[in-house]
Amino acid sequence: MTMIEHNNLEEYQDPVNYDLEFGGEEDKYQFYLELARSNPGEVLELACGTGLTTIPLAKAGIKMTGVDISSAMLAHARLKAEGLPVTFIESDARTFESDKRFAMIYLTGNAFQAFLSDQDQIGLLATVHKHLQPGGIFAFETRNPKGTELADEEETGWGSFIDKDGNNVKVSGTQCYDASRQIMHWVTIRDWGNKRTTSRISCRFTDQDVLRSLLTRQGFRIEHQYADWHKTPFTPTASSIISVCRK
């Protein structure tokens, strides 16, 4: 995931265990695959990370390009994608340049929220608009502030996963919300049994009305907004806003 604050890159230094913690979202992969098939042509994923979504689409025969700012994540993505119709490029999504024009561009993993200022969001959307074919699809998801608990929280258990060595890793964290900037600061704590590690990440929360206005100003028409990967229509209290737009 492309991140703007330097602290955000802390989450992306261990790509193998990242996949084990965050992989397996089959409903999401299917959503983006169906969307790509509905508008045939090459697809670009911005903030692609280790290719958790890029690679399933490539395995289904979609020609893919993945862009991310993290060299470590991309190195693992390239290993996993050997022999598939996918190219990975290290670049910042706000300034990425290519001669290609894509039938579809998307971000996932709530990557849109990593763009923490108005300038960052506009830079991202300018990249998307420039590289989309006329009539092309732009899709992404973001947490809905009206459907998310934004209060400050002390350390709370978040779950667990099995790491590459077979160890059960307990995951917990804290959150602190800066309402003036609409930015949540999370500290993730992982208990590996023999050690505890921490990493920081910050995400901006943009409400639906502001998001709609921003997209319209940047040259996109919102065709659908969903609450989940099963295409449940968005409601004001849904936890997610999944937006499907057209240039």
Side-chain angles (χ1 to χ4, degrees), residues 70-228:
S70 169
S71 58
M73 299 289 270
L74 290 176
H76 189 50
R78 292 185 181 106
L79 284 175
K80 296 190 299 178
E82 188 174 353
L84 293 173
V86 56
T87 301
F88 289 106
I89 299 170
E90 184 176 343
S91 183
D92 187 319
R94 297 165 299 174
T95 55
F96 171 67
E97 290 282 350
S98 173
D99 293 334
K100 289 185 178 180
R101 297 297 177 261
F102 298 88
M104 174 175 140
I105 299 176
Y106 72 97
L107 298 88
T108 191
N110 297 309
F112 184 84
Q113 291 184 255
F115 297 84
L116 300 179
S117 70
D118 292 348
Q119 183 180 2
D120 292 331
Q121 290 181 341
I122 290 168
L124 166 69
L125 293 177
T127 294
V128 174
H129 195 272
K130 178 177 180 178
H131 291 87
L132 263 185
Q133 297 171 359
I137 290 175
F138 171 46
F140 65 102
E141 82 274 8
T142 180
R143 301 175 189 87
N144 178 22
K146 293 181 179 178
T148 303
E149 178 54 68
L150 297 177
D152 293 355
E153 291 183 359
E154 296 300 319
E155 185 175 346
T156 304
W158 289 350
S160 64
F161 70 98
I162 304 300
D163 74 1
K164 63 185 179 183
D165 298 316
N167 300 311
N168 184 61
V169 181
K170 297 177 181 178
V171 184
S172 58
T174 66
Q175 65 179 46
C176 180
Y177 187 59
D178 179 350
S180 66
R181 298 173 65 204
Q182 298 88 46
I183 293 176
M184 179 68 80
H185 301 280
W186 282 291
V187 177
T188 303
I189 302 158
R190 295 177 176 88
D191 185 343
W192 304 80
N194 61 344
K195 63 179 180 179
R196 275 166 62 95
T197 60
T198 62
S199 60
R200 296 163 291 173
I201 192 168
S202 301
C203 289
R204 186 179 188 185
F205 281 77
T206 305
D207 70 37
Q208 186 202 22
D209 291 339
V210 173
L211 195 60
R212 182 176 291 275
S213 176
L214 176 66
L215 288 164
T216 300
R217 291 198 312 271
Q218 298 303 314
F220 299 98
R221 182 179 75 254
I222 298 175
E223 292 196 336
H224 303 286
Q225 284 188 318
Y226 302 114
D228 56 39

Side-chain angles (χ1 to χ4, degrees), residues 26-93:
E26 299 298 334
D27 291 342
K28 178 171 76 174
Y29 309 155
Q30 189 62 32
F31 177 91
Y32 283 111
L33 176 58
E34 290 177 2
L35 203 55
R37 284 174 168 164
S38 75
N39 206 56
E42 187 166 354
V43 174
L44 169 65
E45 181 181 2
L46 294 171
C48 67
T50 63
L52 284 174
T53 310
T54 327
I55 290 171
L57 269 64
K59 285 181 176 177
I62 306 294
K63 188 176 182 182
M64 298 293 301
T65 296
V67 168
D68 200 272
I69 203 169
S70 169
S71 58
M73 299 289 270
L74 290 176
H76 189 50
R78 292 185 181 106
L79 284 175
K80 296 190 299 178
E82 188 174 353
L84 293 173
V86 56
T87 301
F88 289 106
I89 299 170
E90 184 176 343
S91 183
D92 187 319

